Amino acid sequence: AQSVTQLDSQVPVFEEAPVELRCNYSSSVSVYLFWYVQYPNQGLQLLLKYLSGSTLVKGINGFEAEFNKSQTSFHLRKPSVHISDTAEYFCAVSDYGGSQGNLIFGKGTKLSVKP
Amino acid sequence: DGGITQSPKYLFRKEGQNVTLSCEQNLNHDAMYWYRQDPGQGLRLIYYSQIVNDFQKGDIAEGYSVSREKKESFPLTVTSAQKNPTAFYLCASSGRGGFQETQYFGPGTRLLVL
């Protein structure tokens, strides 16, 4: 069965520092990859997604992610974080070559940006 | 404004009671989904519906039921068979392209057991 692993449950970082949130997936078939952000007590909002083409994907709020098929990874990065980036971030994957095609979410990474 | 609304924001359930969570969307999306979110567990799919009058079980459907009588509405009932219903419930919708489509989420309903 497909799975998504977010390697860090919490990431504390100082304002204006760079950050990387790690995501690995297990699927051996072709996949679509997503990063969503959730602010406290709210729903999720799409940050970016990879469907095909360039492996470097740019999203909203200055975030970007790189798809690495050989390492089955889709790490999220931002060169300089703001206090307002404090939120929980979810990596998700769906496989369009598989039989079910469900969107599978990781357990989330809480990003805490300190002044 | 187009979007997804969920009501109520908080819901309290008594022992043995069925409760229904509302989800409405005006995005003209074909597909709708219900997820359950527990702390540290991420989101888990309860049910999804790709078209009106059709829906499929997700990974944790036991103790839940849904209906899809209208395109814009996808209510979720938490039955008394769900022994651990305390969680944050999120509804989402997407276009007809399937799971490669971006899912748009509502603000959620927090269900608590009295």
Side-chain angles (χ1 to χ4, degrees):
Chain A
Q2 204 178 114
S3 66
V4 177
T5 302
Q6 291 185 242
L7 295 159
D8 305 296
S9 60
Q10 297 189 47
V11 173
V13 64
F14 287 106
E15 193 174 18
E16 297 183 6
V19 70
E20 178 180 80
L21 306 183
R22 297 179 292 170
C23 173
N24 287 88
Y25 63 94
S26 65
S27 176
S28 60
V29 298
S30 299
V31 294
Y32 300 121
L33 294 155
F34 305 79
W35 275 100
Y36 284 86
V37 61
Q38 183 180 34
Y39 298 101
N41 295 310
Q42 295 185 25
L44 277 68
Q45 177 185 2
L46 181 73
L47 272 179
L48 49 81
K49 63 182 178 182
Y50 171 79
L51 302 182
S52 66
S54 173
T55 57
L56 183 63
V57 181
K58 294 190 183 297
I60 62 171
N61 300 340
F63 284 93
E64 64 181 30
E66 186 157 18
F67 170 57
N68 188 318
K69 188 174 183 178
S70 63
Q71 296 186 8
T72 60
S73 68
F74 191 53
H75 301 331
L76 181 70
R77 302 186 183 101
K78 186 170 182 177
S80 175
V81 294
H82 302 290
I83 297 287
S84 58
D85 293 323
T86 295
E88 191 160 18
Y89 293 79
F90 292 93
C91 180
V93 60
S94 70
D95 70 80
Y96 56 90
S99 60
Q100 193 171 11
N102 279 354
L103 192 61
I104 307 298
F105 284 86
K107 294 186 176 182
T109 297
K110 289 186 178 178
L111 176 63
S112 175
V113 182
K114 305 175 187 300
Chain B
D1 286 334
I4 301 178
T5 57
Q6 291 186 244
S7 61
K9 187 173 182 179
Y10 295 94
L11 186 58
F12 298 91
R13 194 190 92 163
K14 295 180 181 179
E15 193 79 27
Q17 187 181 41
N18 292 355
V19 292
T20 297
L21 285 62
S22 169
C23 177
E24 304 277 333
Q25 54 98 0
N26 61 5
L27 299 168
N28 198 32
H29 283 164
D30 288 295
M32 297 187 74
Y33 314 84
W34 274 106
Y35 293 93
R36 171 178 171 141
Q37 186 178 21
D38 296 280
Q41 294 297 314
L43 277 71
R44 294 180 289 170
L45 184 66
I46 305 172
Y47 269 98
Y48 65 99
S49 168
Q50 302 279 26
I51 56 173
V52 174
N53 292 323
D54 187 49
F55 47 83
Q56 309 296 327
K57 292 183 179 180
D59 300 319
I60 56 166
E62 186 174 351
Y64 300 97
S65 66
V66 294
S67 63
R68 186 84 187 277
E69 296 176 2
K70 299 186 297 182
K71 186 176 183 177
E72 58 270 21
S73 178
F74 191 40
L76 173 74
T77 297
V78 183
T79 75
S80 57
Q82 173 49 246
K83 298 305 180 188
N84 184 24
T86 297
F88 191 49
Y89 290 87
L90 287 161
C91 179
S93 70
S94 70
R96 61 174 58 202
F99 283 94
Q100 65 270 31
E101 294 276 345
T102 298
Q103 292 188 18
Y104 293 85
F105 285 79
T109 292
R110 191 167 297 279
L111 177 60
L112 301 165
V113 177
L114 294 177

PDB file of all heavy atoms in Angstrom, chain A residues 89-107:
ATOM      1  N   TYR A  89       2.029  21.660   7.825  1.00  0.00           N
ATOM      2  CA  TYR A  89       2.196  21.407   6.404  1.00  0.00           C
ATOM      3  C   TYR A  89       2.036  19.909   6.129  1.00  0.00           C
ATOM      4  O   TYR A  89       2.622  19.078   6.824  1.00  0.00           O
ATOM      5  CB  TYR A  89       3.563  21.895   5.927  1.00  0.00           C
ATOM      6  CG  TYR A  89       3.683  23.401   5.993  1.00  0.00           C
ATOM      7  CD1 TYR A  89       3.930  24.047   7.202  1.00  0.00           C
ATOM      8  CD2 TYR A  89       3.495  24.187   4.865  1.00  0.00           C
ATOM      9  CE1 TYR A  89       4.000  25.429   7.282  1.00  0.00           C
ATOM     10  CE2 TYR A  89       3.569  25.567   4.926  1.00  0.00           C
ATOM     11  CZ  TYR A  89       3.817  26.181   6.137  1.00  0.00           C
ATOM     12  OH  TYR A  89       3.886  27.562   6.206  1.00  0.00           O
ATOM     13  N   PHE A  90       1.239  19.601   5.127  1.00  0.00           N
ATOM     14  CA  PHE A  90       0.954  18.211   4.781  1.00  0.00           C
ATOM     15  C   PHE A  90       1.395  17.898   3.364  1.00  0.00           C
ATOM     16  O   PHE A  90       1.048  18.614   2.429  1.00  0.00           O
ATOM     17  CB  PHE A  90      -0.550  17.924   4.898  1.00  0.00           C
ATOM     18  CG  PHE A  90      -1.070  17.963   6.304  1.00  0.00           C
ATOM     19  CD1 PHE A  90      -1.607  19.130   6.816  1.00  0.00           C
ATOM     20  CD2 PHE A  90      -1.012  16.839   7.108  1.00  0.00           C
ATOM     21  CE1 PHE A  90      -2.091  19.186   8.114  1.00  0.00           C
ATOM     22  CE2 PHE A  90      -1.492  16.871   8.412  1.00  0.00           C
ATOM     23  CZ  PHE A  90      -2.027  18.048   8.906  1.00  0.00           C
ATOM     24  N   CYS A  91       2.130  16.826   3.230  1.00  0.00           N
ATOM     25  CA  CYS A  91       2.493  16.284   1.931  1.00  0.00           C
ATOM     26  C   CYS A  91       1.456  15.218   1.572  1.00  0.00           C
ATOM     27  O   CYS A  91       0.977  14.490   2.457  1.00  0.00           O
ATOM     28  CB  CYS A  91       3.884  15.668   2.030  1.00  0.00           C
ATOM     29  SG  CYS A  91       4.513  14.953   0.507  1.00  0.00           S
ATOM     30  N   ALA A  92       1.086  15.141   0.298  1.00  0.00           N
ATOM     31  CA  ALA A  92       0.089  14.159  -0.122  1.00  0.00           C
ATOM     32  C   ALA A  92       0.465  13.608  -1.490  1.00  0.00           C
ATOM     33  O   ALA A  92       1.085  14.296  -2.303  1.00  0.00           O
ATOM     34  CB  ALA A  92      -1.308  14.773  -0.164  1.00  0.00           C
ATOM     35  N   VAL A  93       0.073  12.381  -1.742  1.00  0.00           N
ATOM     36  CA  VAL A  93       0.384  11.726  -3.000  1.00  0.00           C
ATOM     37  C   VAL A  93      -0.820  10.957  -3.511  1.00  0.00           C
ATOM     38  O   VAL A  93      -1.587  10.398  -2.731  1.00  0.00           O
ATOM     39  CB  VAL A  93       1.606  10.783  -2.828  1.00  0.00           C
ATOM     40  CG1 VAL A  93       1.313   9.704  -1.793  1.00  0.00           C
ATOM     41  CG2 VAL A  93       2.001  10.138  -4.141  1.00  0.00           C
ATOM     42  N   SER A  94      -1.016  10.963  -4.805  1.00  0.00           N
ATOM     43  CA  SER A  94      -2.004  10.082  -5.428  1.00  0.00           C
ATOM     44  C   SER A  94      -1.337   9.435  -6.628  1.00  0.00           C
ATOM     45  O   SER A  94      -0.534  10.068  -7.307  1.00  0.00           O
ATOM     46  CB  SER A  94      -3.241  10.843  -5.876  1.00  0.00           C
ATOM     47  OG  SER A  94      -2.964  11.687  -6.968  1.00  0.00           O
ATOM     48  N   ASP A  95      -1.641   8.151  -6.849  1.00  0.00           N
ATOM     49  CA  ASP A  95      -1.034   7.479  -7.978  1.00  0.00           C
ATOM     50  C   ASP A  95      -2.082   7.235  -9.046  1.00  0.00           C
ATOM     51  O   ASP A  95      -3.157   6.745  -8.772  1.00  0.00           O
ATOM     52  CB  ASP A  95      -0.361   6.165  -7.554  1.00  0.00           C
ATOM     53  CG  ASP A  95      -1.328   5.075  -7.165  1.00  0.00           C
ATOM     54  OD1 ASP A  95      -1.883   4.418  -8.081  1.00  0.00           O
ATOM     55  OD2 ASP A  95      -1.551   4.903  -5.966  1.00  0.00           O
ATOM     56  N   TYR A  96      -1.773   7.659 -10.259  1.00  0.00           N
ATOM     57  CA  TYR A  96      -2.726   7.486 -11.353  1.00  0.00           C
ATOM     58  C   TYR A  96      -2.465   6.198 -12.122  1.00  0.00           C
ATOM     59  O   TYR A  96      -3.178   5.878 -13.044  1.00  0.00           O
ATOM     60  CB  TYR A  96      -2.708   8.685 -12.293  1.00  0.00           C
ATOM     61  CG  TYR A  96      -1.368   9.041 -12.900  1.00  0.00           C
ATOM     62  CD1 TYR A  96      -0.959   8.493 -14.098  1.00  0.00           C
ATOM     63  CD2 TYR A  96      -0.525   9.953 -12.274  1.00  0.00           C
ATOM     64  CE1 TYR A  96       0.251   8.842 -14.654  1.00  0.00           C
ATOM     65  CE2 TYR A  96       0.688  10.299 -12.832  1.00  0.00           C
ATOM     66  CZ  TYR A  96       1.077   9.750 -14.012  1.00  0.00           C
ATOM     67  OH  TYR A  96       2.290  10.096 -14.571  1.00  0.00           O
ATOM     68  N   GLY A  97      -1.452   5.437 -11.701  1.00  0.00           N
ATOM     69  CA  GLY A  97      -1.233   4.142 -12.324  1.00  0.00           C
ATOM     70  C   GLY A  97      -1.778   3.027 -11.464  1.00  0.00           C
ATOM     71  O   GLY A  97      -1.858   1.886 -11.893  1.00  0.00           O
ATOM     72  N   GLY A  98      -2.159   3.345 -10.248  1.00  0.00           N
ATOM     73  CA  GLY A  98      -2.642   2.328  -9.326  1.00  0.00           C
ATOM     74  C   GLY A  98      -4.124   2.054  -9.502  1.00  0.00           C
ATOM     75  O   GLY A  98      -4.794   2.658 -10.324  1.00  0.00           O
ATOM     76  N   SER A  99      -4.635   1.160  -8.701  1.00  0.00           N
ATOM     77  CA  SER A  99      -6.012   0.725  -8.862  1.00  0.00           C
ATOM     78  C   SER A  99      -7.006   1.602  -8.116  1.00  0.00           C
ATOM     79  O   SER A  99      -8.182   1.609  -8.414  1.00  0.00           O
ATOM     80  CB  SER A  99      -6.156  -0.719  -8.368  1.00  0.00           C
ATOM     81  OG  SER A  99      -5.795  -0.788  -6.993  1.00  0.00           O
ATOM     82  N   GLN A 100      -6.566   2.336  -7.132  1.00  0.00           N
ATOM     83  CA  GLN A 100      -7.506   3.071  -6.303  1.00  0.00           C
ATOM     84  C   GLN A 100      -7.447   4.577  -6.541  1.00  0.00           C
ATOM     85  O   GLN A 100      -8.464   5.232  -6.616  1.00  0.00           O
ATOM     86  CB  GLN A 100      -7.250   2.758  -4.830  1.00  0.00           C
ATOM     87  CG  GLN A 100      -8.359   3.222  -3.909  1.00  0.00           C
ATOM     88  CD  GLN A 100      -8.181   2.706  -2.495  1.00  0.00           C
ATOM     89  OE1 GLN A 100      -7.148   2.168  -2.147  1.00  0.00           O
ATOM     90  NE2 GLN A 100      -9.182   2.871  -1.666  1.00  0.00           N
ATOM     91  N   GLY A 101      -6.264   5.134  -6.596  1.00  0.00           N
ATOM     92  CA  GLY A 101      -6.147   6.550  -6.897  1.00  0.00           C
ATOM     93  C   GLY A 101      -6.505   7.457  -5.767  1.00  0.00           C
ATOM     94  O   GLY A 101      -6.791   8.630  -5.980  1.00  0.00           O
ATOM     95  N   ASN A 102      -6.499   6.967  -4.549  1.00  0.00           N
ATOM     96  CA  ASN A 102      -6.795   7.839  -3.420  1.00  0.00           C
ATOM     97  C   ASN A 102      -5.663   8.825  -3.182  1.00  0.00           C
ATOM     98  O   ASN A 102      -4.515   8.579  -3.507  1.00  0.00           O
ATOM     99  CB  ASN A 102      -6.984   7.006  -2.150  1.00  0.00           C
ATOM    100  CG  ASN A 102      -8.359   6.405  -2.067  1.00  0.00           C
ATOM    101  OD1 ASN A 102      -9.218   6.681  -2.876  1.00  0.00           O
ATOM    102  ND2 ASN A 102      -8.550   5.565  -1.073  1.00  0.00           N
ATOM    103  N   LEU A 103      -6.029   9.961  -2.546  1.00  0.00           N
ATOM    104  CA  LEU A 103      -5.038  10.939  -2.109  1.00  0.00           C
ATOM    105  C   LEU A 103      -4.623  10.541  -0.706  1.00  0.00           C
ATOM    106  O   LEU A 103      -5.449  10.494   0.202  1.00  0.00           O
ATOM    107  CB  LEU A 103      -5.650  12.332  -2.138  1.00  0.00           C
ATOM    108  CG  LEU A 103      -4.712  13.529  -1.989  1.00  0.00           C
ATOM    109  CD1 LEU A 103      -3.702  13.564  -3.114  1.00  0.00           C
ATOM    110  CD2 LEU A 103      -5.517  14.808  -1.957  1.00  0.00           C
ATOM    111  N   ILE A 104      -3.335  10.229  -0.524  1.00  0.00           N
ATOM    112  CA  ILE A 104      -2.812   9.786   0.761  1.00  0.00           C
ATOM    113  C   ILE A 104      -2.000  10.920   1.371  1.00  0.00           C
ATOM    114  O   ILE A 104      -1.088  11.450   0.737  1.00  0.00           O
ATOM    115  CB  ILE A 104      -1.909   8.546   0.597  1.00  0.00           C
ATOM    116  CG1 ILE A 104      -2.638   7.449  -0.178  1.00  0.00           C
ATOM    117  CG2 ILE A 104      -1.429   8.051   1.956  1.00  0.00           C
ATOM    118  CD1 ILE A 104      -3.884   6.935   0.510  1.00  0.00           C
ATOM    119  N   PHE A 105      -2.340  11.273   2.610  1.00  0.00           N
ATOM    120  CA  PHE A 105      -1.664  12.366   3.296  1.00  0.00           C
ATOM    121  C   PHE A 105      -0.620  11.838   4.267  1.00  0.00           C
ATOM    122  O   PHE A 105      -0.805  10.780   4.890  1.00  0.00           O
ATOM    123  CB  PHE A 105      -2.674  13.196   4.079  1.00  0.00           C
ATOM    124  CG  PHE A 105      -3.514  14.110   3.235  1.00  0.00           C
ATOM    125  CD1 PHE A 105      -4.683  13.651   2.647  1.00  0.00           C
ATOM    126  CD2 PHE A 105      -3.149  15.433   3.038  1.00  0.00           C
ATOM    127  CE1 PHE A 105      -5.469  14.490   1.862  1.00  0.00           C
ATOM    128  CE2 PHE A 105      -3.920  16.285   2.265  1.00  0.00           C
ATOM    129  CZ  PHE A 105      -5.081  15.808   1.672  1.00  0.00           C
ATOM    130  N   GLY A 106       0.458  12.602   4.429  1.00  0.00           N
ATOM    131  CA  GLY A 106       1.402  12.353   5.504  1.00  0.00           C
ATOM    132  C   GLY A 106       0.808  12.850   6.814  1.00  0.00           C
ATOM    133  O   GLY A 106      -0.272  13.444   6.841  1.00  0.00           O
ATOM    134  N   LYS A 107       1.538  12.628   7.900  1.00  0.00           N
ATOM    135  CA  LYS A 107       1.018  12.982   9.212  1.00  0.00           C
ATOM    136  C   LYS A 107       1.226  14.448   9.565  1.00  0.00           C
ATOM    137  O   LYS A 107       0.779  14.904  10.621  1.00  0.00           O
ATOM    138  CB  LYS A 107       1.643  12.088  10.274  1.00  0.00           C
ATOM    139  CG  LYS A 107       1.220  10.628  10.125  1.00  0.00           C
ATOM    140  CD  LYS A 107       1.716   9.770  11.271  1.00  0.00           C
ATOM    141  CE  LYS A 107       1.189   8.347  11.111  1.00  0.00           C
ATOM    142  NZ  LYS A 107       1.596   7.465  12.232  1.00  0.00           N
TER     143      LYS A 107
END
